[in-house]
Amino acid sequence: MEKSLFRYVWRHTKPEQFSILLIIVLAQVFYFLSLNIPKTIVNEAIQGRAFEKDAQGRAVAGSTTNFFAIDIPIPGFISDVGSIHIFDGIPLEQVPYLIALSLLFLAMVIINGQFKLNINTMKGRMGERMLRRLRYELFDRVMRFPQGHFRKVKQAEIATMVKDEVEPLGGFIGDAFVQPVFLGGQAATALFFIITQSFWLGMVAVGVLSIQIGIIPKLRKRVLVLGKQRQLTARQLAGRIAEAVDGAADIHANATSNYERADIANRLGRIFLIRFELYKRKFTVKFLNNLLAQTTPFLFYLIGGYLAITGQLDIGGLVAVIAAYKDLPPPIKELIDWDQQRQDVQIKYEQVIEQFTPDAMLDPALQAPLPEPPLKLNGGLMLSGVSAFDEAHKLLDGASFKLDGSSHVALIGPPNGGKEAIALILARLVHPAAGQVKIGDRDLVDLPEIATGARMGYAGADTYLFPVSVRENILYGLKQQEHAPAQYGDEEKGERERYFSESRRAGNPLFDVNAEWIDYQAAGVSGPEEMDKRILDLLPAVELDDDIYRMGLRGTIDPDAQPKTAAAIMQARAELHQRLSDPQIAALIEPFSRDRYVRNMSVAENLLFGTAAEADFAPERLAQNKLVLRVLEDQKLIEEFVEIGRQIAETMVELFADLPPGHPFFEQFSFIAAEDLPEFRVMVARIAGKGGAENISGDDRARLMALAFPYIEARHRLGLVDEALQAKLLKAREALAEALPEGAVEVYDREKYNRAATIQDNILFGRLIYGQAQAAERIGALIGEVLDKLEMRRTVAGVGLDFNVGNAGKRLNAAQRQKIGLVRALVKQPDLLVVNDATAVLDGGAQARLMAAILKLRQGSAVIWALSRPALAQHFDMVLALREGRVIAQGGFEELKKPGSAVADLLAAE
Amino acid sequence: MSLNQEVELLRTIPLFAKIEASKLKLLAFTSERLTFEAGQDLCRQGDMGDAMYVIVEGAADVLIDTPKGPLKVAELKKNEFVGEIAILCDVPRTATVTAREKTTTLKITKDLFFRLVQEFPQMAVEIMRELAHRLEMNNLRMRQLQAQQKN
């Protein structure tokens, strides 16, 4: 990238800059014309100079003048014709003439405005395009950073640079060339005018200007240094804040929050000093600028006056000079401002570019899309004399070996003895410093990244998951390049074409994010459906099938988009409910039914009888819901609710009175928080004193009513909801269902899939009955049984693939993340599978099982596996032992484990 | 069964006989009533335990794993309690308890148990009495075994 912002801008915007300049020149012509019109209106139209006049000096009625006559004046030195007559104009009387001139004035105003708008639009577009180009180029560079560089940079700092620090550049780029030309021209004209009037006064103006131009940049130097510091400290602050967020757990565990506070406060203090100093200096410069600008008229009066007195300058000339000088400072000031801004953005630019220019950046050609499908990588592997470093630490020291293209190879040895380095080199995460790595007859260094990315599967010790679904995370390994263009409708097509032409102008790539990026063909499947099958087939090998199935049970689907799945789940519901005839199962589930009160569900849930799609209708917020309260009023249920609330309050006061606040029972069992209990005690006593529920005040009523909503008859067993009340609540349920706004609640319907509820709830269509031992496990097993009978377990697991893994996969545990990483590597059916200790987070038994299953899947295809436990190497065709970066033994496991050999030592050490 | 009925039921259990009604109500409200089907395990030998059970209704067998398979060592009837060892001594369950018929229990968590014992020494005495009784039974059985071996 260019070191100078100006050269960078000029290279990419030359034609645009020229066209803007051209328009500015054109605009000046119209501007000059518009300045002349007011004079014509006053003199010719209003004062009537253009018309014949009567004795009172009024224009004679019927007298006309020609509007819009066009004469081009010819300067005397070309011809003495005076002017060339082009258009006679339209004869008009005084008032129409005034109207015509005024309209012309309006037209000029609009034209000038239009010019300004056009110029600003063009400048803005140019600036935004450059900003887009710059941001893209910076990101492109991030993609090409050598891996080691990522250890040195902080992600928050990189993000601030791309996002914030280059932003002011966009605004400036539009003005980068136009502004100085424009303002400089204006200033030069004024100065020239002054010199023509009086040489000496001109020299005074030039003198003062040169002081301005000479001194101010010197004063600015410190300002620039400060500006640099300000940018750097602010960026580091962003980095430190990100660190504090990332390290929150350790900060809490070590109680170092105050240390962090001290550090941030210290930084803020430094930033304050820098910013304040900057502010002071900026205003000092401003003050000086103004002072110099104001001294010039002083000198003009003094020197100009003296010249006038001594007769060397006429008074008119002096007045004209002073008037012309008025036009000189604003452009100069703006020019100085522009210069300030220029240096500011130049610093920002340099600072950013510096950070994005590490050594050993990847050659862009290595990442360019390939015209043909990538070639196979199954020609065997050869390392000769390969050394690699990580900072100053030696990873590999002249390692050499040869492997054939389909064998299963285990790499063993002490940690950091070289086995990991080989895996990293093959995955191209570490570049060999010396020696040669050959895959087939190709040198690995020269192979396009896409070729290895597509044909090699790599699973490292930690897998980064993007905050998308499990499925998309697995398919991430198949998105090297576009495979089929996106399909657009006619309208979108045009929009897309405009998008691409704009991308081209801003130097952005012409990749289409909506295109089909997944290489189904390389994975050996025909499309998404078959791909899902492939993934589901792979899950058992990494023992992830059960987890994904459970995620599926907790997942939701859109029955319109997946009618088949919804229908199948409805079938499972029917099947499960058929089994309710078995009393053992009936004892576990209380099914939903429109005309029955569900005792194992809260009062609120019974009223709602559905899944809330809007937060206002969530069961815990129902007591505040206006619509619900209105329905209760209509159904004459308010008194009942207040009474239930009163009894709950009474019981709670009685039961929990002696418990210390903060006792876990409050959270687990009480309807009333510990801190509210005294208030309720007073309330209960007051109500008892007043002789009954009729005299409860409005405020108390609302608080008591709210207690009734979470009450679950089967769980709390206070006997508050009897048959009569159940009947009334069922009526209220009906009334509420009719009053509900569209889409707020997905009402339970025996015959309909509930799109707001999870698959499990849809199958269950009822509530677990309280007090049944291991009810959840038994129901889980039962649902599994039903799904197995309908052969639907995989369908549910398919829904589980939609599970969003959360930020960096944090909604999954470490083992699950690693397993997804393995599936990501396996799903592309790579020519070479490289596993770098990817199963280390699993327990020993699971490690061995996973390894066996994966090796079975990979029969006939190459596997290179860096193992942390040498004993596992017995399942491989060949074993390579590495220590201190060197290959110390190579061969079959049986052969190598003979007593006294290096492998025997490793095994003994385990 | 409503809470008040449950309190009445608890009152008939000797372990809780001396506890005042309001505390019994708290016990009933905060402890879970768990129903086990015949053949279901209340607890399994070797698992970590966090609760004891009072049998309110039904009956259960206490089984110990031996090399020859499970060995029934005791029977539990209504009003008896089980599972106190694991929560008293923080050791894994020492036996498997299996419901012989449909059995209703009161599940008393570790927290609740210690609270009750602290507040109602009477209950502690009741538990000690039961434990002493069980110890005596074991001693008796040991003597019988020794006698058998000598013969």
Side-chain angles (χ1 to χ4, degrees), chain A residues 300-318:
Chain A
F300 278 4
Y301 287 125
L302 189 66
I303 299 170
Y306 175 75
L307 289 176
I309 291 170
T310 54
Q312 296 173 53
L313 181 69
D314 62 53
I315 306 280
L318 181 60

Side-chain angles (χ1 to χ4, degrees), chain A residues 584 587 651-652 654-656 658-660 663-665 669 671 716-719 770-774 778, chain B residues 1-4 6 22-23 25-26 28-37 40-41 44 111-112 115:
Chain A
Q584 288 233 12
T651 312
M652 291 305 120
E654 180 194 345
L655 289 181
F656 289 82
D658 298 344
L659 291 183
H663 194 280
F665 281 178
F669 300 107
F671 286 74
H716 299 116
R717 314 187 298 274
L718 299 179
Y770 280 96
Q772 298 303 309
Q774 288 135 21
R778 284 158 73 194
Chain B
M1 196 184 302
S2 83
L3 201 61
N4 288 329
E6 222 164 280
S22 72
K23 293 297 158 197
K25 203 167 175 183
L26 180 66
F29 187 68
T30 54
S31 55
E32 201 179 347
R33 271 167 53 95
L34 268 186
T35 308
F36 293 87
E37 298 294 331
Q40 260 191 303
D41 295 333
R44 279 195 195 94
D111 282 353
L112 184 63
R115 225 184 112 73

Side-chain angles (χ1 to χ4, degrees), chain A residues 576-577 579-580 583-592 596 598 600 763-770 772 775 778-779 782-783:
Chain A
L576 184 81
H577 281 238
R579 300 194 181 201
L580 286 178
Q584 288 233 12
I585 293 169
L588 293 175
I589 311 169
E590 183 177 13
F592 293 150
R596 263 198 40 231
V598 185
N600 289 281
I763 298 175
L764 200 57
F765 199 68
R767 275 300 154 95
L768 293 192
I769 292 176
Y770 280 96
Q772 298 303 309
R778 284 158 73 194
I779 286 295
L782 187 64
I783 288 178

Side-chain angles (χ1 to χ4, degrees), chain A residues 407-441:
Chain A
S407 55
H408 293 178
V409 182
L411 306 173
I412 60 171
N416 299 318
K419 61 184 196 300
E420 303 87 352
I422 288 178
L424 289 171
I425 285 174
L426 290 176
R428 308 182 80 173
L429 298 175
V430 165
H431 282 265
Q436 201 181 32
V437 182
K438 272 189 148 180
I439 294 185
D441 51 359

Side-chain angles (χ1 to χ4, degrees), chain A residues 742-787:
Chain A
E742 185 87 20
V745 174
E746 181 86 6
V747 172
Y748 297 135
D749 182 339
R750 183 78 171 75
E751 303 305 324
K752 216 178 116 213
Y753 187 86
N754 184 328
R755 65 178 68 220
T758 63
I759 288 189
Q760 175 157 307
D761 286 347
N762 261 296
I763 298 175
L764 200 57
F765 199 68
R767 275 300 154 95
L768 293 192
I769 292 176
Y770 280 96
Q772 298 303 309
Q774 288 135 21
E777 289 88 341
R778 284 158 73 194
I779 286 295
L782 187 64
I783 288 178
E785 212 176 282
V786 166
L787 291 176

Side-chain angles (χ1 to χ4, degrees), chain A residues 58-75:
Chain A
R58 293 208 197 114
V60 174
S63 131
T64 63
T65 192
N66 289 336
F67 171 67
F68 216 70
I70 300 173
D71 293 279
I72 294 179
I74 304 287

